[in-house]
Amino acid sequence: MAAANSDVSKLLRELADAGLPLSKTQKILRLFEQNSRKPSLPILDAEPRPVVFSGEMAKTKRSTKPHIYWRSGIPGKGATARVLIYTKVCLPDGRITKQNIAHNLGKVTLAEAERMRDELMENKALTDPPVSAIAVEQFITGYYYPSHVATLRRGGQKTAHEILPHFIQAFGKRRLQSITVIDVQHFLNLKAARYSRSTVSKMKAQISGVFRFAMALDLDIPKNPASLARVPSQCAQTEPERITPRVAEAQKLRATLAKPGYSPMFEMMALGSTTSFGFSELAALRWQDVNLTDQDTMVDGSTLEACTVWMRRSYYRGEFGPAKNKGRQRKETIGQKVVEALAGLRNRSPFTKPDSLVFTRTGSPLDYHQILRQLKKACGEAGIREVGWHGFRRYFATATEGRMSQEDRQRTMGQNSSAMLEHYTAADLKRRAPAVQAITDELFADPSSGY
């Protein structure tokens, strides 16, 4: 090393004598001396260091297979086996994560439990798609609500959000694929002990919709368990009687609703009883769709004849929307007395713009439940049976029998089938009475009379 340094110093002096500036020569010499002082180390390839577990660590090292839990008894002798398998699942917000999914193995022996655990790990945790292990609550809140229910009208959305929480409360933590027809039937039986038949039918329909949507996503559900279940014939509450007011009852109620305190219920009852309009249609009616004059007018490019009302929208569960079906979008004539009643209402109302509601008290739509309570109060004051707003539609269907053709009655009520029209008609008992009496007379006739 010393010989090398002397040779370099000699070379630098020769460069300086040859004319190289002294400052540069000294700088080169200084750098060379600094580097020559650092010892050079050999470069070695990295070798993996073996991991050595102590005896205690080797004992506590976790197994790669999940542990089997035993509940309510001795393991392998009457106890229920349960295992948690770390599986990919889909969260309600759409994110994919891993969670411990519980699997009940039943009352099996230790060897059977281990075999079932190994099968679940091979078949379920590794091969199934992530959504296959999703629970009922995760599927409804993460898939069914945002993808299907959100596309419905507000009434359908409210019904789903009112009914499905019952199903989530009962089976929310269970896997969707594990729900059987026995589970759904047991659920409906329990609900029938508390709710009416119509409510239990809605529960079945909503559950069926969930499974139809799941089957469309190819979640390996062979059959819809809700479609195979039946609504119990005996439910806690019976269906309310569909009361159709008689002519005398309708006249008494009309006289009671004519009092100023019930406005505008008098005009609503008069228009509904003579045109078959329901509450949702009356609540959405606007002045631009009512022609109280004896001249034709134009509304949105369509002719509105004299003394005619055009029903083209509805107000249901706090939302304006189109009519229930195409048949409900119809124009109907109104009688002279109803024209006078509506004209008087417009003269008293501060809301008379073309787009203002006809039946309102504050400019906003009427609340159905509030108006229904006032209607029942008026029925008590008139001394008649309590009727709902649907009763006036039934009154029209009954009153027009024999006065209109079947086709005209069906078109006026906006019905798609004659069977639904008969559902609203209450006079068919009187129509069938003569035939029933003739059959009775024939049965009880004297045998010797020659029958």
Side-chain angles (χ1 to χ4, degrees):
M1 183 68 66
N5 289 341
S6 61
D7 293 340
V8 173
S9 300
K10 183 178 179 180
L11 179 60
L12 291 175
R13 291 189 186 95
E14 292 178 356
L15 292 175
D17 295 340
L20 188 67
L22 182 61
S23 59
K24 291 186 177 181
T25 305
Q26 293 176 348
K27 184 181 295 185
I28 295 173
L29 180 60
R30 192 180 303 113
L31 292 174
F32 179 79
E33 291 176 350
Q34 291 177 356
N35 294 332
S36 62
R37 295 192 190 101
K38 297 181 179 179
S40 59
L41 299 177
I43 300 176
L44 302 177
D45 295 334
E47 295 181 359
R49 297 180 61 186
V51 179
V52 180
F53 289 99
S54 65
E56 192 66 26
M57 292 177 64
K59 292 180 182 179
T60 59
K61 187 175 182 295
R62 294 185 60 184
S63 173
T64 57
K65 294 184 179 181
H67 180 68
I68 299 176
Y69 298 90
W70 300 89
R71 305 175 61 182
S72 304
I74 301 175
K77 297 181 180 180
T80 302
R82 186 170 178 265
V83 64
L84 300 177
I85 297 181
Y86 204 50
T87 312
K88 285 184 178 181
V89 296
C90 183
L91 296 178
D93 58 1
R95 293 183 294 109
I96 302 297
T97 185
K98 284 189 174 182
Q99 292 182 0
N100 281 323
I101 304 300
H103 299 271
N104 293 322
L105 307 181
K107 296 180 179 181
V108 295
T109 62
L110 180 60
E112 292 175 344
E114 292 177 348
R115 178 183 55 80
M116 295 173 67
R117 175 194 61 188
D118 296 341
E119 291 179 356
L120 287 172
M121 291 183 64
E122 293 177 0
N123 300 330
K124 299 295 182 183
L126 300 179
T127 60
D128 279 0
V131 76
S132 64
I134 197 169
V136 172
E137 182 177 6
Q138 291 177 329
F139 180 80
I140 293 177
T141 58
Y143 287 86
Y144 190 67
Y145 278 160
S147 301
H148 177 74
V149 176
T151 62
L152 304 177
R153 294 180 60 180
R154 189 166 182 176
Q157 294 181 20
K158 284 192 173 183
T159 301
H161 285 280
E162 289 173 357
I163 297 299
L164 286 179
H166 292 271
F167 186 58
I168 294 175
Q169 183 182 12
F171 304 104
K173 302 303 180 183
R174 287 183 52 178
R175 287 195 313 122
L176 185 67
Q177 291 177 331
S178 68
I179 305 299
T180 64
V181 62
I182 301 299
D183 297 325
V184 178
Q185 187 65 64
H186 182 63
F187 171 79
L188 297 178
N189 294 342
L190 292 177
K191 295 302 178 180
R194 184 176 180 182
Y195 297 97
S196 65
R197 183 177 178 83
S198 63
T199 302
V200 178
S201 299
K202 290 179 182 179
M203 292 181 181
K204 177 188 173 182
Q206 290 295 331
I207 297 172
S208 180
V210 171
F211 281 99
R212 286 199 306 270
F213 189 74
M215 293 170 67
L217 296 178
D218 295 332
L219 295 190
D220 194 20
I221 299 177
K223 288 186 178 181
N224 186 344
S227 64
L228 302 176
R230 298 179 63 87
V231 177
S233 58
Q234 298 295 331
C235 296
Q237 303 173 10
T238 59
E239 295 298 321
E241 182 184 0
R242 296 185 178 94
I243 297 178
T244 302
R246 303 184 184 92
V247 176
E249 292 177 327
Q251 293 173 347
K252 293 180 180 179
L253 182 60
R254 174 187 55 79
T256 302
L257 293 178
K259 298 180 180 179
Y262 287 108
S263 179
M265 296 172 61
F266 165 70
E267 293 80 8
M268 294 177 65
M269 181 258 185
L271 184 60
S273 300
T274 56
T275 59
S276 80
F277 293 157
F279 180 86
S280 61
E281 298 171 324
L282 295 172
L285 186 63
R286 302 182 184 274
W287 285 116
Q288 61 184 359
D289 300 326
V290 180
N291 184 8
L292 302 179
T293 66
D294 55 357
Q295 301 293 331
D296 297 348
T297 60
M298 296 294 296
V299 179
D300 293 341
S302 179
T303 302
L304 190 61
E305 290 76 7
C307 299
T308 305
V309 58
W310 186 13
M311 186 55 62
R312 50 177 175 165
R313 60 179 66 89
S314 65
Y315 179 77
Y316 182 68
R317 288 201 170 193
E319 179 186 38
F320 286 102
K324 186 176 181 180
N325 52 52
K326 292 184 178 180
R328 292 291 187 94
Q329 296 180 354
R330 59 202 188 279
K331 297 178 181 179
E332 299 297 336
T333 59
I334 48 182
Q336 187 60 36
K337 292 291 184 180
V338 180
V339 170
E340 296 174 359
L342 292 176
L345 176 63
R346 187 170 59 181
N347 294 333
R348 300 191 310 269
S349 175
F351 310 101
T352 57
K353 294 182 179 179
D355 59 344
S356 298
L357 296 173
V358 175
F359 304 111
T360 182
R361 291 171 176 172
T362 61
S364 301
L366 297 172
D367 180 76
Y368 172 77
H369 298 285
Q370 180 184 5
I371 298 298
L372 182 60
R373 288 193 295 268
Q374 294 182 358
L375 178 61
K376 292 183 177 181
K377 177 183 175 182
C379 291
E381 187 175 343
I384 65 172
R385 298 173 297 172
E386 287 188 357
V387 297
W389 285 103
H390 225 57
F392 304 130
R393 185 169 166 81
R394 295 175 58 83
Y395 175 85
F396 175 85
T398 304
T400 54
E401 188 176 26
R403 300 179 180 179
M404 287 186 181
S405 64
Q406 186 80 355
E407 182 181 358
D408 290 341
R409 293 173 65 213
Q410 186 173 334
R411 291 181 59 184
T412 303
M413 296 194 66
Q415 300 293 354
N416 294 328
S417 64
S418 58
M420 182 59 68
L421 177 61
E422 294 299 325
H423 171 75
Y424 282 89
T425 304
D428 54 348
L429 289 176
K430 295 182 179 179
R431 185 177 64 250
R432 297 195 301 265
V436 173
Q437 186 61 41
I439 296 174
T440 304
D441 295 340
E442 183 180 56
L443 177 64
F444 286 87
D446 187 359
S448 61
S449 61
Y451 276 99

